[in-house]
């Protein structure tokens, strides 16, 4: 668990703080995304966790202990670190790059090699093929995979990731995000994830901390709650006018109360339990129907028929959230 | 009389070369290599720490470059003359070494700084973020990445020093210059030509060797081109 306690940072020679009285908790095993416009202090906040930057006021606790309890370098060896520019060592092979922190921690050579190989496999790079290559021989996406593998090398309970998928094209980014979420299901790290992209925040975050310029915490909540109940004009404009649709992309068809399947024919569009409501809505509108048939699973009609779903039920769900919003009912 | 002798002799007297190969020519080459490697060695011992410090404390960079640049700009014969006039130094080997070291400092220090500057900032940031100490960052990241640029500086310094050391023979520094000066004073072409060819060959060979080393020290760049 990471806890920010009234943390502020003002750089020398500046009057206004870049991070202003930040207090929030990141529960163990969750991804907390710090998101906001440039100048909101999100990267500064992240870099104060492993003390690459020291706060002017306040403190950061890790598992209840102030992060100043040990030396900065000792602390940093226990916290994974991945950045947008990756920063692989150009003069070291992929294996040597990944094995950096284990090497600093004096692991035995065999253990480092085994760990390196299994991490490369985990991030989808064949160790036999890539172990002895230099970073310059890899594509941008492959380098980012190595950067993430390197951050995980010593199996740190906490990881800091500053736009770790920022330097690649959107398609590769999407794939890297999916793969990383898949990995995270197993490793359950406590992750501080920085991005300026609200869509990435919604996709990656268990919790999202939206920061305003001047480093003020505007809202801290789950993506769903932030989309359903933005607590200020700043937040609702930051998440975008399409926040209702964004929220639908977080909800699954399987989460809805379905109508009985009986009687609805094959002429209706096929929906799947694993499909997002946004995609389901798109299918129904595209087919010109206001109802779809829901099948079990993710993408084939070979699954069992589970029921049917109407556009109207989606509309009601979205509208209910908006009404709660207007009446200030934070259900 | 002298001009007659000049006209009469052959351009290259092969018999003299084979007769004096082991007792005059070879020792001159060895002496020259010794002079140059010793002065480059001393210059490196000074330049590496100074370069690293100056790369950190940027304010010192301009004065250091100004001073070493001043040393570099002194004409070599004038430099030797000044050193010879200093009682503690005097004529000979020591004055030559001091001058050669002084001439190497500018290019060596400048290349150490350029080399360290060429290390990508994100690489340093990642190194810090993973918990490398400042000295680990220097020795495991900055210097290895700067090494090819430093070696490029050594190349230039070595070629410069091999040339200037030849003049050092004028104040009894020894080396290949001795062949040339002796040949001139005796009016003996062969000796002059042998000296000139050897000095040139030495400079070219040293340059090529260091170029090969520069390449060798950058296996990651080779991999990138492949």
């Amino acid at each position: 668990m990471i806890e920010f306690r009234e943390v502020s940072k003002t750089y020398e020679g500046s009057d206004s703080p870049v991070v202003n009285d930040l207090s929030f908790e990141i529960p163990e095993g969750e991804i907390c995304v710090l998101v906001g416009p440039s100048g909101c202090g999100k990267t500064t906040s992240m870099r104060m966790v492993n003390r690459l930057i020291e706060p002017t006021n306040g403190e950061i606790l890790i598992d209840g202990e102030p992060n100043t309890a040990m030396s900065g370098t000792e602390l940093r060896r226990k916290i994974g670190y991945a950045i947008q520019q990756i920063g692989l060592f150009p003069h070291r092979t992929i294996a040597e790059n990944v094995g950096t922190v284990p090497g600093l921690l004096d692991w035995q050579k065999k253990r480092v090699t085994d760990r390196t190989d299994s991490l490369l496999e985990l991030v989808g790079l064949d160790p036999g093929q890539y172990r002895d290559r230099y970073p310059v021989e890899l594509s941008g996406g492959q380098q980012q995979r190595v950067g993430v593998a390197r951050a995980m090398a010593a199996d740190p309970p906490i990881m800091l990731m500053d736009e770790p998928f920022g330097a690649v094209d959107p398609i590769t980014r999407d794939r890297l995000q999916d793969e990383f979420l898949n990995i995270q299901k197993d490793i359950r790290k406590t992750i501080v994830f920085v991005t300026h992209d609200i869509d990435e925040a919604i996709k990656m975050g268990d919790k999202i901390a939206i920061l305003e310029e001047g480093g003020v915490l505007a809202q801290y909540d789950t993506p769903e709650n932030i989309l359903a109940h933005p607590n200020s004009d700043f937040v609702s404009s930051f998440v975008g006018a399409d926040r209702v649709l964004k929220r639908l992309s977080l909800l699954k068809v399987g989460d809805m109360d379905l109508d009985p399947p009986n009687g609805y024919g094959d002429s209706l569009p096929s929906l799947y339990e694993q499909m997002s409501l946004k995609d389901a809505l798109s299918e129904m509108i595209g087919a010109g129907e206001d109802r779809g048939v829901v099948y079990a699973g993710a993408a084939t009609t070979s699954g069992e028929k589970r029921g049917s779903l109407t556009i109207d039920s989606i509309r009601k769900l979205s509208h209910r959230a908006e009404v709660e919003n207007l009446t200030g009912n934070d259900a | 009389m002298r001009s007659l002798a000049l006209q009469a002799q052959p351009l290259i007297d092969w018999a003299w070369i084979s007769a004096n190969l082991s007792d005059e020519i070879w020792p001159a080459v060895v002496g020259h290599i010794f002079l140059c490697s010793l002065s480059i060695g001393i210059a490196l011992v000074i330049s590496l720490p100074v370069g690293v410090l100056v790369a950190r404390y940027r304010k010192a960079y301009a004065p250091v470059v100004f001073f070493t640049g001043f040393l570099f700009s002194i004409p070599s014969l004038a430099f030797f003359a000044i050193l010879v006039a200093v009682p503690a130094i005097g004529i000979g080997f020591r004055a030559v070494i001091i001058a050669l070291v002084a001439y190497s400092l500018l290019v060596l220090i400048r290349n150490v700084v350029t080399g360290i500057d060429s290390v990508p900032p994100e690489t340093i940031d990642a190194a810090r973020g993973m918990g490398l100490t400042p000295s680990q960052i220097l020795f495991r990241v900055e210097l290895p990445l700067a090494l090819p640029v430093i070696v490029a500086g050594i190349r230039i310094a070595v070629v410069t020093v091999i040339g200037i050391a030849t003049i050092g023979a004028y104040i009894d520094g020894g080396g290949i210059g001795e062949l040339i000066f002796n040949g001139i004073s005796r009016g003996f072409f062969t000796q002059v030509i042998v000296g000139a060819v050897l000095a040139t060959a030495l400079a070219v060979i040293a340059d090529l060797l260091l170029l090969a080393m520069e390449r060798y020290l950058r296996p990651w760049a080779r991999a990138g081109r492949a």
Side-chain angles (χ1 to χ4, degrees), chain B residues 33-63:
Chain B
I33 293 174
F34 177 68
L35 258 184
C36 296
S37 6
L38 182 62
S39 32
I40 291 290
I42 295 171
L44 271 175
V45 169
I46 299 170
S47 305
L48 280 173
V50 170
V52 169
L53 284 176
V54 161
R56 296 269 188 280
Y57 306 104
R58 234 14 202 267
K59 278 181 191 155
Y61 187 51

PDB file of all heavy atoms in Angstrom, chain B residues 33-63:
ATOM      1  N   ILE B  33      58.044   5.933 -29.693  1.00  0.00           N
ATOM      2  CA  ILE B  33      56.811   5.315 -29.178  1.00  0.00           C
ATOM      3  C   ILE B  33      56.727   5.521 -27.662  1.00  0.00           C
ATOM      4  O   ILE B  33      55.675   5.862 -27.110  1.00  0.00           O
ATOM      5  CB  ILE B  33      56.761   3.807 -29.531  1.00  0.00           C
ATOM      6  CG1 ILE B  33      56.618   3.642 -31.044  1.00  0.00           C
ATOM      7  CG2 ILE B  33      55.608   3.117 -28.807  1.00  0.00           C
ATOM      8  CD1 ILE B  33      56.711   2.204 -31.526  1.00  0.00           C
ATOM      9  N   PHE B  34      57.875   5.356 -26.982  1.00  0.00           N
ATOM     10  CA  PHE B  34      57.911   5.525 -25.538  1.00  0.00           C
ATOM     11  C   PHE B  34      57.525   6.953 -25.141  1.00  0.00           C
ATOM     12  O   PHE B  34      56.661   7.169 -24.280  1.00  0.00           O
ATOM     13  CB  PHE B  34      59.308   5.184 -25.020  1.00  0.00           C
ATOM     14  CG  PHE B  34      59.462   5.390 -23.542  1.00  0.00           C
ATOM     15  CD1 PHE B  34      58.795   4.578 -22.639  1.00  0.00           C
ATOM     16  CD2 PHE B  34      60.269   6.410 -23.041  1.00  0.00           C
ATOM     17  CE1 PHE B  34      58.918   4.776 -21.280  1.00  0.00           C
ATOM     18  CE2 PHE B  34      60.394   6.619 -21.680  1.00  0.00           C
ATOM     19  CZ  PHE B  34      59.726   5.802 -20.799  1.00  0.00           C
ATOM     20  N   LEU B  35      58.150   7.923 -25.808  1.00  0.00           N
ATOM     21  CA  LEU B  35      57.841   9.344 -25.543  1.00  0.00           C
ATOM     22  C   LEU B  35      56.344   9.614 -25.666  1.00  0.00           C
ATOM     23  O   LEU B  35      55.728  10.227 -24.783  1.00  0.00           O
ATOM     24  CB  LEU B  35      58.537  10.206 -26.606  1.00  0.00           C
ATOM     25  CG  LEU B  35      59.822  10.954 -26.286  1.00  0.00           C
ATOM     26  CD1 LEU B  35      60.201  11.799 -27.495  1.00  0.00           C
ATOM     27  CD2 LEU B  35      59.614  11.859 -25.078  1.00  0.00           C
ATOM     28  N   CYS B  36      55.792   9.143 -26.777  1.00  0.00           N
ATOM     29  CA  CYS B  36      54.389   9.464 -27.069  1.00  0.00           C
ATOM     30  C   CYS B  36      53.453   8.728 -26.121  1.00  0.00           C
ATOM     31  O   CYS B  36      52.494   9.313 -25.608  1.00  0.00           O
ATOM     32  CB  CYS B  36      54.048   9.119 -28.510  1.00  0.00           C
ATOM     33  SG  CYS B  36      54.984  10.117 -29.668  1.00  0.00           S
ATOM     34  N   SER B  37      53.701   7.425 -25.875  1.00  0.00           N
ATOM     35  CA  SER B  37      52.766   6.712 -24.995  1.00  0.00           C
ATOM     36  C   SER B  37      52.840   7.245 -23.579  1.00  0.00           C
ATOM     37  O   SER B  37      51.812   7.368 -22.912  1.00  0.00           O
ATOM     38  CB  SER B  37      52.964   5.189 -25.006  1.00  0.00           C
ATOM     39  OG  SER B  37      54.069   4.828 -25.736  1.00  0.00           O
ATOM     40  N   LEU B  38      54.054   7.585 -23.123  1.00  0.00           N
ATOM     41  CA  LEU B  38      54.170   8.109 -21.761  1.00  0.00           C
ATOM     42  C   LEU B  38      53.392   9.416 -21.631  1.00  0.00           C
ATOM     43  O   LEU B  38      52.634   9.621 -20.680  1.00  0.00           O
ATOM     44  CB  LEU B  38      55.644   8.310 -21.382  1.00  0.00           C
ATOM     45  CG  LEU B  38      55.873   8.803 -19.950  1.00  0.00           C
ATOM     46  CD1 LEU B  38      55.360   7.784 -18.943  1.00  0.00           C
ATOM     47  CD2 LEU B  38      57.355   9.090 -19.697  1.00  0.00           C
ATOM     48  N   SER B  39      53.556  10.312 -22.621  1.00  0.00           N
ATOM     49  CA  SER B  39      52.875  11.599 -22.474  1.00  0.00           C
ATOM     50  C   SER B  39      51.363  11.456 -22.616  1.00  0.00           C
ATOM     51  O   SER B  39      50.602  12.105 -21.888  1.00  0.00           O
ATOM     52  CB  SER B  39      53.412  12.644 -23.455  1.00  0.00           C
ATOM     53  OG  SER B  39      53.824  12.058 -24.630  1.00  0.00           O
ATOM     54  N   ILE B  40      50.905  10.576 -23.523  1.00  0.00           N
ATOM     55  CA  ILE B  40      49.456  10.366 -23.637  1.00  0.00           C
ATOM     56  C   ILE B  40      48.931   9.737 -22.337  1.00  0.00           C
ATOM     57  O   ILE B  40      47.857  10.089 -21.840  1.00  0.00           O
ATOM     58  CB  ILE B  40      49.117   9.467 -24.842  1.00  0.00           C
ATOM     59  CG1 ILE B  40      49.399  10.195 -26.151  1.00  0.00           C
ATOM     60  CG2 ILE B  40      47.666   9.010 -24.793  1.00  0.00           C
ATOM     61  CD1 ILE B  40      48.464  11.339 -26.467  1.00  0.00           C
ATOM     62  N   GLY B  41      49.712   8.821 -21.775  1.00  0.00           N
ATOM     63  CA  GLY B  41      49.305   8.182 -20.518  1.00  0.00           C
ATOM     64  C   GLY B  41      49.139   9.207 -19.410  1.00  0.00           C
ATOM     65  O   GLY B  41      48.100   9.255 -18.738  1.00  0.00           O
ATOM     66  N   ILE B  42      50.138  10.064 -19.255  1.00  0.00           N
ATOM     67  CA  ILE B  42      50.051  11.096 -18.219  1.00  0.00           C
ATOM     68  C   ILE B  42      48.868  12.032 -18.502  1.00  0.00           C
ATOM     69  O   ILE B  42      48.091  12.372 -17.606  1.00  0.00           O
ATOM     70  CB  ILE B  42      51.368  11.912 -18.139  1.00  0.00           C
ATOM     71  CG1 ILE B  42      52.513  10.993 -17.686  1.00  0.00           C
ATOM     72  CG2 ILE B  42      51.224  13.100 -17.195  1.00  0.00           C
ATOM     73  CD1 ILE B  42      53.887  11.643 -17.779  1.00  0.00           C
ATOM     74  N   ALA B  43      48.725  12.402 -19.770  1.00  0.00           N
ATOM     75  CA  ALA B  43      47.637  13.319 -20.133  1.00  0.00           C
ATOM     76  C   ALA B  43      46.272  12.696 -19.803  1.00  0.00           C
ATOM     77  O   ALA B  43      45.358  13.385 -19.357  1.00  0.00           O
ATOM     78  CB  ALA B  43      47.713  13.674 -21.613  1.00  0.00           C
ATOM     79  N   LEU B  44      46.138  11.375 -20.007  1.00  0.00           N
ATOM     80  CA  LEU B  44      44.867  10.709 -19.709  1.00  0.00           C
ATOM     81  C   LEU B  44      44.589  10.703 -18.207  1.00  0.00           C
ATOM     82  O   LEU B  44      43.446  10.925 -17.780  1.00  0.00           O
ATOM     83  CB  LEU B  44      44.891   9.268 -20.222  1.00  0.00           C
ATOM     84  CG  LEU B  44      44.419   9.067 -21.655  1.00  0.00           C
ATOM     85  CD1 LEU B  44      44.612   7.613 -22.066  1.00  0.00           C
ATOM     86  CD2 LEU B  44      42.960   9.468 -21.800  1.00  0.00           C
ATOM     87  N   VAL B  45      45.646  10.443 -17.432  1.00  0.00           N
ATOM     88  CA  VAL B  45      45.474  10.432 -15.981  1.00  0.00           C
ATOM     89  C   VAL B  45      44.959  11.792 -15.497  1.00  0.00           C
ATOM     90  O   VAL B  45      44.172  11.880 -14.565  1.00  0.00           O
ATOM     91  CB  VAL B  45      46.808  10.067 -15.283  1.00  0.00           C
ATOM     92  CG1 VAL B  45      46.729  10.310 -13.789  1.00  0.00           C
ATOM     93  CG2 VAL B  45      47.155   8.614 -15.566  1.00  0.00           C
ATOM     94  N   ILE B  46      45.394  12.849 -16.178  1.00  0.00           N
ATOM     95  CA  ILE B  46      44.900  14.187 -15.809  1.00  0.00           C
ATOM     96  C   ILE B  46      43.509  14.439 -16.403  1.00  0.00           C
ATOM     97  O   ILE B  46      42.601  14.914 -15.725  1.00  0.00           O
ATOM     98  CB  ILE B  46      45.873  15.279 -16.315  1.00  0.00           C
ATOM     99  CG1 ILE B  46      47.246  15.079 -15.659  1.00  0.00           C
ATOM    100  CG2 ILE B  46      45.329  16.672 -16.030  1.00  0.00           C
ATOM    101  CD1 ILE B  46      48.334  15.947 -16.261  1.00  0.00           C
ATOM    102  N   SER B  47      43.326  14.084 -17.668  1.00  0.00           N
ATOM    103  CA  SER B  47      42.114  14.491 -18.396  1.00  0.00           C
ATOM    104  C   SER B  47      40.857  13.767 -17.944  1.00  0.00           C
ATOM    105  O   SER B  47      39.772  14.355 -17.929  1.00  0.00           O
ATOM    106  CB  SER B  47      42.280  14.254 -19.892  1.00  0.00           C
ATOM    107  OG  SER B  47      43.423  14.896 -20.354  1.00  0.00           O
ATOM    108  N   LEU B  48      40.967  12.476 -17.616  1.00  0.00           N
ATOM    109  CA  LEU B  48      39.752  11.734 -17.251  1.00  0.00           C
ATOM    110  C   LEU B  48      39.069  12.336 -16.025  1.00  0.00           C
ATOM    111  O   LEU B  48      37.896  12.710 -16.107  1.00  0.00           O
ATOM    112  CB  LEU B  48      40.064  10.254 -17.056  1.00  0.00           C
ATOM    113  CG  LEU B  48      40.172   9.443 -18.352  1.00  0.00           C
ATOM    114  CD1 LEU B  48      40.664   8.027 -18.081  1.00  0.00           C
ATOM    115  CD2 LEU B  48      38.829   9.390 -19.083  1.00  0.00           C
ATOM    116  N   PRO B  49      39.784  12.464 -14.898  1.00  0.00           N
ATOM    117  CA  PRO B  49      39.098  13.066 -13.743  1.00  0.00           C
ATOM    118  C   PRO B  49      38.684  14.510 -14.000  1.00  0.00           C
ATOM    119  O   PRO B  49      37.571  14.904 -13.628  1.00  0.00           O
ATOM    120  CB  PRO B  49      40.123  12.983 -12.612  1.00  0.00           C
ATOM    121  CG  PRO B  49      41.407  12.588 -13.219  1.00  0.00           C
ATOM    122  CD  PRO B  49      41.114  11.961 -14.549  1.00  0.00           C
ATOM    123  N   VAL B  50      39.553  15.282 -14.652  1.00  0.00           N
ATOM    124  CA  VAL B  50      39.187  16.681 -14.916  1.00  0.00           C
ATOM    125  C   VAL B  50      37.954  16.736 -15.811  1.00  0.00           C
ATOM    126  O   VAL B  50      37.014  17.485 -15.548  1.00  0.00           O
ATOM    127  CB  VAL B  50      40.369  17.452 -15.569  1.00  0.00           C
ATOM    128  CG1 VAL B  50      39.903  18.816 -16.068  1.00  0.00           C
ATOM    129  CG2 VAL B  50      41.502  17.611 -14.577  1.00  0.00           C
ATOM    130  N   GLY B  51      37.918  15.906 -16.853  1.00  0.00           N
ATOM    131  CA  GLY B  51      36.771  15.881 -17.758  1.00  0.00           C
ATOM    132  C   GLY B  51      35.483  15.519 -17.037  1.00  0.00           C
ATOM    133  O   GLY B  51      34.450  16.147 -17.235  1.00  0.00           O
ATOM    134  N   VAL B  52      35.558  14.482 -16.183  1.00  0.00           N
ATOM    135  CA  VAL B  52      34.366  14.056 -15.443  1.00  0.00           C
ATOM    136  C   VAL B  52      33.883  15.174 -14.522  1.00  0.00           C
ATOM    137  O   VAL B  52      32.691  15.496 -14.477  1.00  0.00           O
ATOM    138  CB  VAL B  52      34.661  12.777 -14.632  1.00  0.00           C
ATOM    139  CG1 VAL B  52      33.532  12.485 -13.654  1.00  0.00           C
ATOM    140  CG2 VAL B  52      34.857  11.582 -15.569  1.00  0.00           C
ATOM    141  N   LEU B  53      34.827  15.809 -13.819  1.00  0.00           N
ATOM    142  CA  LEU B  53      34.446  16.902 -12.921  1.00  0.00           C
ATOM    143  C   LEU B  53      33.828  18.065 -13.685  1.00  0.00           C
ATOM    144  O   LEU B  53      32.804  18.611 -13.292  1.00  0.00           O
ATOM    145  CB  LEU B  53      35.675  17.401 -12.143  1.00  0.00           C
ATOM    146  CG  LEU B  53      36.136  16.498 -11.010  1.00  0.00           C
ATOM    147  CD1 LEU B  53      37.411  17.037 -10.373  1.00  0.00           C
ATOM    148  CD2 LEU B  53      35.030  16.385  -9.954  1.00  0.00           C
ATOM    149  N   VAL B  54      34.474  18.410 -14.794  1.00  0.00           N
ATOM    150  CA  VAL B  54      33.999  19.550 -15.569  1.00  0.00           C
ATOM    151  C   VAL B  54      32.630  19.263 -16.187  1.00  0.00           C
ATOM    152  O   VAL B  54      31.788  20.148 -16.299  1.00  0.00           O
ATOM    153  CB  VAL B  54      35.063  19.908 -16.643  1.00  0.00           C
ATOM    154  CG1 VAL B  54      34.458  20.743 -17.737  1.00  0.00           C
ATOM    155  CG2 VAL B  54      36.229  20.625 -15.994  1.00  0.00           C
ATOM    156  N   ALA B  55      32.389  17.992 -16.548  1.00  0.00           N
ATOM    157  CA  ALA B  55      31.070  17.634 -17.084  1.00  0.00           C
ATOM    158  C   ALA B  55      29.997  17.826 -16.018  1.00  0.00           C
ATOM    159  O   ALA B  55      28.853  18.143 -16.324  1.00  0.00           O
ATOM    160  CB  ALA B  55      31.065  16.186 -17.568  1.00  0.00           C
ATOM    161  N   ARG B  56      30.355  17.647 -14.750  1.00  0.00           N
ATOM    162  CA  ARG B  56      29.399  17.832 -13.651  1.00  0.00           C
ATOM    163  C   ARG B  56      29.251  19.313 -13.286  1.00  0.00           C
ATOM    164  O   ARG B  56      28.162  19.810 -13.147  1.00  0.00           O
ATOM    165  CB  ARG B  56      29.875  17.091 -12.401  1.00  0.00           C
ATOM    166  CG  ARG B  56      29.949  15.602 -12.564  1.00  0.00           C
ATOM    167  CD  ARG B  56      28.627  14.944 -12.156  1.00  0.00           C
ATOM    168  NE  ARG B  56      28.767  13.509 -12.139  1.00  0.00           N
ATOM    169  CZ  ARG B  56      28.726  12.742 -13.221  1.00  0.00           C
ATOM    170  NH1 ARG B  56      28.567  13.300 -14.412  1.00  0.00           N
ATOM    171  NH2 ARG B  56      28.873  11.440 -13.139  1.00  0.00           N
ATOM    172  N   TYR B  57      30.409  19.968 -13.084  1.00  0.00           N
ATOM    173  CA  TYR B  57      30.385  21.383 -12.677  1.00  0.00           C
ATOM    174  C   TYR B  57      30.658  22.236 -13.893  1.00  0.00           C
ATOM    175  O   TYR B  57      31.785  22.604 -14.191  1.00  0.00           O
ATOM    176  CB  TYR B  57      31.382  21.634 -11.553  1.00  0.00           C
ATOM    177  CG  TYR B  57      31.154  20.686 -10.410  1.00  0.00           C
ATOM    178  CD1 TYR B  57      31.989  19.597 -10.201  1.00  0.00           C
ATOM    179  CD2 TYR B  57      30.054  20.852  -9.561  1.00  0.00           C
ATOM    180  CE1 TYR B  57      31.747  18.693  -9.175  1.00  0.00           C
ATOM    181  CE2 TYR B  57      29.798  19.961  -8.543  1.00  0.00           C
ATOM    182  CZ  TYR B  57      30.651  18.881  -8.347  1.00  0.00           C
ATOM    183  OH  TYR B  57      30.403  17.985  -7.342  1.00  0.00           O
ATOM    184  N   ARG B  58      29.579  22.541 -14.593  1.00  0.00           N
ATOM    185  CA  ARG B  58      29.663  23.132 -15.911  1.00  0.00           C
ATOM    186  C   ARG B  58      30.376  24.481 -15.926  1.00  0.00           C
ATOM    187  O   ARG B  58      30.975  24.873 -16.921  1.00  0.00           O
ATOM    188  CB  ARG B  58      28.253  23.283 -16.478  1.00  0.00           C
ATOM    189  CG  ARG B  58      28.055  22.634 -17.852  1.00  0.00           C
ATOM    190  CD  ARG B  58      29.196  21.742 -18.108  1.00  0.00           C
ATOM    191  NE  ARG B  58      29.450  21.444 -19.477  1.00  0.00           N
ATOM    192  CZ  ARG B  58      28.969  20.393 -20.124  1.00  0.00           C
ATOM    193  NH1 ARG B  58      28.143  19.571 -19.534  1.00  0.00           N
ATOM    194  NH2 ARG B  58      29.312  20.163 -21.357  1.00  0.00           N
ATOM    195  N   LYS B  59      30.318  25.191 -14.786  1.00  0.00           N
ATOM    196  CA  LYS B  59      30.923  26.520 -14.740  1.00  0.00           C
ATOM    197  C   LYS B  59      32.423  26.435 -14.988  1.00  0.00           C
ATOM    198  O   LYS B  59      33.046  27.386 -15.465  1.00  0.00           O
ATOM    199  CB  LYS B  59      30.673  27.164 -13.371  1.00  0.00           C
ATOM    200  CG  LYS B  59      29.310  27.799 -13.282  1.00  0.00           C
ATOM    201  CD  LYS B  59      29.111  28.456 -11.924  1.00  0.00           C
ATOM    202  CE  LYS B  59      27.656  28.859 -11.754  1.00  0.00           C
ATOM    203  NZ  LYS B  59      27.270  28.938 -10.341  1.00  0.00           N
ATOM    204  N   ALA B  60      33.033  25.301 -14.631  1.00  0.00           N
ATOM    205  CA  ALA B  60      34.483  25.174 -14.780  1.00  0.00           C
ATOM    206  C   ALA B  60      34.883  24.870 -16.220  1.00  0.00           C
ATOM    207  O   ALA B  60      36.052  24.971 -16.576  1.00  0.00           O
ATOM    208  CB  ALA B  60      34.991  24.069 -13.855  1.00  0.00           C
ATOM    209  N   TYR B  61      33.891  24.483 -17.063  1.00  0.00           N
ATOM    210  CA  TYR B  61      34.227  24.029 -18.413  1.00  0.00           C
ATOM    211  C   TYR B  61      34.918  25.111 -19.243  1.00  0.00           C
ATOM    212  O   TYR B  61      35.978  24.878 -19.823  1.00  0.00           O
ATOM    213  CB  TYR B  61      32.956  23.539 -19.119  1.00  0.00           C
ATOM    214  CG  TYR B  61      33.201  22.894 -20.459  1.00  0.00           C
ATOM    215  CD1 TYR B  61      34.148  21.879 -20.602  1.00  0.00           C
ATOM    216  CD2 TYR B  61      32.493  23.292 -21.597  1.00  0.00           C
ATOM    217  CE1 TYR B  61      34.373  21.273 -21.826  1.00  0.00           C
ATOM    218  CE2 TYR B  61      32.708  22.688 -22.821  1.00  0.00           C
ATOM    219  CZ  TYR B  61      33.646  21.681 -22.930  1.00  0.00           C
ATOM    220  OH  TYR B  61      33.869  21.096 -24.148  1.00  0.00           O
ATOM    221  N   ALA B  62      34.327  26.323 -19.268  1.00  0.00           N
ATOM    222  CA  ALA B  62      34.882  27.396 -20.092  1.00  0.00           C
ATOM    223  C   ALA B  62      36.321  27.752 -19.682  1.00  0.00           C
ATOM    224  O   ALA B  62      37.208  27.808 -20.540  1.00  0.00           O
ATOM    225  CB  ALA B  62      33.962  28.615 -20.062  1.00  0.00           C
ATOM    226  N   PRO B  63      36.584  27.989 -18.386  1.00  0.00           N
ATOM    227  CA  PRO B  63      37.976  28.286 -18.000  1.00  0.00           C
ATOM    228  C   PRO B  63      38.951  27.158 -18.353  1.00  0.00           C
ATOM    229  O   PRO B  63      40.075  27.437 -18.821  1.00  0.00           O
ATOM    230  CB  PRO B  63      37.906  28.451 -16.471  1.00  0.00           C
ATOM    231  CG  PRO B  63      36.486  28.616 -16.127  1.00  0.00           C
ATOM    232  CD  PRO B  63      35.663  28.117 -17.255  1.00  0.00           C
TER     233      PRO B  63
END
